[in-house]
Amino acid sequence: MENNLVYEIPRTISSAYIDSTVRLGVAQTWLLVQDNVTECLGRIECDGVVYKKRFNAFWVFTKIKIHFEKRPDWREIVSTRTFPVDNSGLRTHINTEAFDKDGSLAFAANYEACVLSFDNHRPLKLTTLGYPADNFPRPVFNAQFSRFPAFLGEDAFLFEQVVRFCHIDMSQHMNNAEYTKLALSVFTNEYLKEHDISDIEAHYTGECKEGQILRVYRYEADGNVYVYIKEGERTVYECSITFKN
């Protein structure tokens, strides 16, 4: 029996989704997953447009973890599936997986999300918003989110970025994919062309608005690269990047 929580759609890896390697970009994967998640939520009438109109509320995606088996090439068509896997009251997790033409896994992702009120920015119970409470599909990617090392201080500072109009999304805050573009900018283009990322995990710990100044920091430990982004004294984003051996 078909589960109406599962959203399936083929995606063409268009020029909007590639990076300088002419494959699906790591940051661009955020955009593909965001497309799937918003369309999945829209189909069950739980997306940001519906929540804004009915409840004066908006989605906040607090954590994401992506595992890459391979990155599809430009013009390749991948089969994608997206679906929520739980409802813990205030938070949900939403899985996405993509397969190539041979049925092999290209990547899998897990988003953690909650809904906040526009009035006071406090989380709302998902059950009061018409969000599904049962009949969830089996998770395909349920690896636990990590605890990152503590911020090490100014010695790890690399560069600053002013939040501009081009970084802002419909929530009037900096889009999640834009933080990841900044995080990947701690590497050179040549390095990322020669070294493939296997796993990336990001935590969104604060909102940023146009005109704010972000400071980007890089730290390496245990075979991972950690990137922290701060606005003033606030840490607004942190991520862990693991490369394939």
Side-chain angles (χ1 to χ4, degrees):
M1 181 175 178
E2 182 181 359
N3 189 317
N4 68 350
L5 298 183
V6 179
Y7 178 72
E8 299 187 63
I9 187 171
R11 295 283 185 193
T12 300
I13 307 304
S14 68
S15 59
Y17 286 139
I18 63 172
D19 63 11
S20 64
T21 68
V22 201
R23 297 175 297 166
L24 174 66
V26 174
Q28 288 82 351
T29 305
W30 257 250
L31 300 177
L32 190 155
V33 173
Q34 284 178 178
D35 283 346
N36 266 45
V37 169
T38 55
E39 291 167 23
C40 176
L41 295 176
R43 194 177 71 166
I44 59 176
E45 298 188 354
C46 293
D47 66 0
V49 174
V50 171
Y51 279 2
K52 169 61 175 161
K53 182 177 180 180
R54 294 181 182 174
F55 306 106
N56 197 33
F58 63 101
W59 279 101
V60 173
F61 295 94
T62 52
K63 295 179 182 178
I64 186 172
K65 194 166 191 171
I66 302 178
H67 171 72
F68 292 96
E69 285 291 332
K70 54 187 171 182
R71 289 195 282 144
D73 295 324
W74 181 31
R75 296 185 294 186
E76 190 172 343
I77 298 174
V78 295
S79 301
T80 67
R81 301 173 70 243
T82 294
F83 45 90
V85 298
D86 61 22
N87 177 344
S88 64
L90 295 178
R91 294 186 183 276
T92 185
H93 294 90
I94 303 172
N95 281 186
T96 296
E97 55 184 353
F99 300 90
D100 66 14
K101 65 180 184 301
D102 298 321
S104 298
L105 180 70
F107 70 84
N110 183 29
Y111 248 134
E112 178 185 272
C114 64
V115 177
L116 302 185
S117 166
F118 271 112
D119 293 329
N120 55 25
H121 277 216
R122 292 181 178 176
L124 300 173
K125 289 185 177 180
L126 295 175
T127 51
T128 68
L129 307 173
Y131 193 74
D134 51 28
N135 197 35
F136 293 109
R138 183 188 301 274
V140 295
F141 187 26
N142 55 7
Q144 296 296 308
F145 289 105
S146 305
R147 180 183 293 274
F148 296 154
F151 175 67
L152 291 184
E154 292 300 314
D155 288 346
F157 171 74
L158 287 184
F159 63 91
E160 288 185 346
Q161 172 67 54
V162 178
V163 180
R164 303 294 189 186
F165 163 78
C166 62
H167 303 126
I168 303 299
D169 63 17
M170 64 182 180
S171 296
Q172 306 306 304
H173 301 131
M174 187 163 168
N175 184 270
N176 284 0
E178 298 298 331
Y179 290 98
T180 300
K181 290 179 182 178
L182 280 185
L184 293 173
S185 295
V186 305
F187 307 101
T188 66
N189 178 54
E190 286 303 313
Y191 187 89
L192 290 178
K193 286 169 65 176
E194 296 174 1
H195 299 81
D196 271 341
I197 291 173
S198 63
D199 296 272
I200 182 166
E201 177 178 340
H203 299 178
Y204 300 92
T205 57
E207 299 169 345
C208 291
K209 298 182 178 181
E210 186 177 4
Q212 292 180 321
I213 299 174
L214 306 183
R215 292 174 62 83
V216 181
Y217 302 79
R218 168 179 166 166
Y219 169 62
E220 298 184 32
D222 304 322
N224 297 324
V225 176
Y226 296 94
V227 179
Y228 300 83
I229 300 179
K230 295 177 69 71
E231 189 278 318
E233 296 300 316
R234 299 185 303 144
T235 298
V236 295
Y237 172 92
E238 52 188 18
C239 82
S240 169
I241 300 169
T242 306
F243 288 92
K244 294 180 179 180
N245 294 328

